[in-house]
mmCIF file of all heavy atoms in Angstrom:
data_model
loop_
_atom_site.group_PDB
_atom_site.id
_atom_site.type_symbol
_atom_site.label_atom_id
_atom_site.label_comp_id
_atom_site.label_asym_id
_atom_site.label_seq_id
_atom_site.Cartn_x
_atom_site.Cartn_y
_atom_site.Cartn_z
ATOM 1 N N VAL A 124 26.415 20.451 -7.685
ATOM 2 C CA VAL A 124 25.170 19.933 -7.040
ATOM 3 C C VAL A 124 25.441 19.555 -5.594
ATOM 4 O O VAL A 124 26.418 18.893 -5.317
ATOM 5 C CB VAL A 124 24.745 18.611 -7.775
ATOM 6 C CG1 VAL A 124 23.565 17.959 -7.168
ATOM 7 C CG2 VAL A 124 24.545 18.855 -9.273
ATOM 8 N N GLN A 125 24.640 20.130 -4.695
ATOM 9 C CA GLN A 125 24.795 19.800 -3.283
ATOM 10 C C GLN A 125 23.753 18.713 -2.917
ATOM 11 O O GLN A 125 22.574 18.907 -3.320
ATOM 12 C CB GLN A 125 24.556 21.050 -2.436
ATOM 13 C CG GLN A 125 25.754 21.991 -2.440
ATOM 14 C CD GLN A 125 25.841 22.873 -3.699
ATOM 15 O OE1 GLN A 125 24.816 23.388 -4.147
ATOM 16 N NE2 GLN A 125 27.022 23.059 -4.283
ATOM 17 N N THR A 126 24.171 17.679 -2.215
ATOM 18 C CA THR A 126 23.269 16.656 -1.795
ATOM 19 C C THR A 126 23.120 16.669 -0.280
ATOM 20 O O THR A 126 24.004 17.252 0.434
ATOM 21 C CB THR A 126 23.725 15.295 -2.285
ATOM 22 O OG1 THR A 126 25.083 15.108 -2.005
ATOM 23 C CG2 THR A 126 23.455 15.074 -3.772
ATOM 24 N N ALA A 127 22.019 16.102 0.264
ATOM 25 C CA ALA A 127 21.802 16.095 1.694
ATOM 26 C C ALA A 127 23.003 15.437 2.378
ATOM 27 O O ALA A 127 23.521 14.382 1.895
ATOM 28 C CB ALA A 127 20.522 15.294 1.979
ATOM 29 N N GLY A 128 23.431 16.016 3.444
ATOM 30 C CA GLY A 128 24.675 15.563 4.077
ATOM 31 C C GLY A 128 25.809 16.532 3.800
ATOM 32 O O GLY A 128 26.829 16.501 4.403
ATOM 33 N N GLY A 129 25.589 17.402 2.729
ATOM 34 C CA GLY A 129 26.527 18.492 2.543
ATOM 35 C C GLY A 129 27.583 18.272 1.401
ATOM 36 O O GLY A 129 28.297 19.139 1.113
ATOM 37 N N ALA A 130 27.562 17.065 0.863
ATOM 38 C CA ALA A 130 28.531 16.771 -0.281
ATOM 39 C C ALA A 130 28.246 17.671 -1.448
ATOM 40 O O ALA A 130 27.045 17.950 -1.755
ATOM 41 C CB ALA A 130 28.550 15.316 -0.611
ATOM 42 N N SER A 131 29.263 17.990 -2.181
ATOM 43 C CA SER A 131 29.147 18.818 -3.371
ATOM 44 C C SER A 131 29.719 18.142 -4.550
ATOM 45 O O SER A 131 30.866 17.588 -4.442
ATOM 46 C CB SER A 131 29.858 20.153 -3.087
ATOM 47 O OG SER A 131 29.398 21.199 -3.876
ATOM 48 N N HIS A 132 29.025 18.070 -5.690
ATOM 49 C CA HIS A 132 29.525 17.329 -6.886
ATOM 50 C C HIS A 132 29.465 18.131 -8.098
ATOM 51 O O HIS A 132 28.418 18.790 -8.292
ATOM 52 C CB HIS A 132 28.686 16.074 -7.110
ATOM 53 C CG HIS A 132 28.188 15.380 -5.887
ATOM 54 N ND1 HIS A 132 28.665 14.217 -5.387
ATOM 55 C CD2 HIS A 132 27.095 15.722 -5.051
ATOM 56 C CE1 HIS A 132 28.036 13.908 -4.292
ATOM 57 N NE2 HIS A 132 27.062 14.795 -4.088
ATOM 58 N N PRO A 133 30.453 18.125 -8.991
ATOM 59 C CA PRO A 133 30.267 18.824 -10.304
ATOM 60 C C PRO A 133 29.055 18.149 -10.986
ATOM 61 O O PRO A 133 28.917 16.894 -11.005
ATOM 62 C CB PRO A 133 31.598 18.511 -11.016
ATOM 63 C CG PRO A 133 32.556 18.151 -9.964
ATOM 64 C CD PRO A 133 31.761 17.488 -8.816
ATOM 65 N N LEU A 134 28.223 18.981 -11.629
ATOM 66 C CA LEU A 134 26.993 18.490 -12.217
ATOM 67 C C LEU A 134 27.279 17.364 -13.275
ATOM 68 O O LEU A 134 26.626 16.426 -13.332
ATOM 69 C CB LEU A 134 26.226 19.627 -12.877
ATOM 70 C CG LEU A 134 24.998 19.272 -13.704
ATOM 71 C CD1 LEU A 134 23.987 18.473 -12.883
ATOM 72 C CD2 LEU A 134 24.325 20.470 -14.303
ATOM 73 N N GLU A 135 28.352 17.614 -14.080
ATOM 74 C CA GLU A 135 28.650 16.664 -15.146
ATOM 75 C C GLU A 135 28.830 15.258 -14.580
ATOM 76 O O GLU A 135 28.260 14.255 -15.095
ATOM 77 C CB GLU A 135 29.870 17.073 -15.924
ATOM 78 C CG GLU A 135 30.036 16.318 -17.175
ATOM 79 C CD GLU A 135 31.325 16.664 -17.890
ATOM 80 O OE1 GLU A 135 32.202 17.377 -17.327
ATOM 81 O OE2 GLU A 135 31.493 16.168 -19.039
ATOM 82 N N GLY A 136 29.585 15.105 -13.479
ATOM 83 C CA GLY A 136 29.782 13.822 -12.867
ATOM 84 C C GLY A 136 28.507 13.319 -12.210
ATOM 85 O O GLY A 136 28.194 12.112 -12.279
#
Side-chain angles (χ1 to χ4, degrees):
Chain A
V124 176
Q125 284 78 42
T126 46
S131 203
H132 324 257
L134 173 58
E135 193 184 8

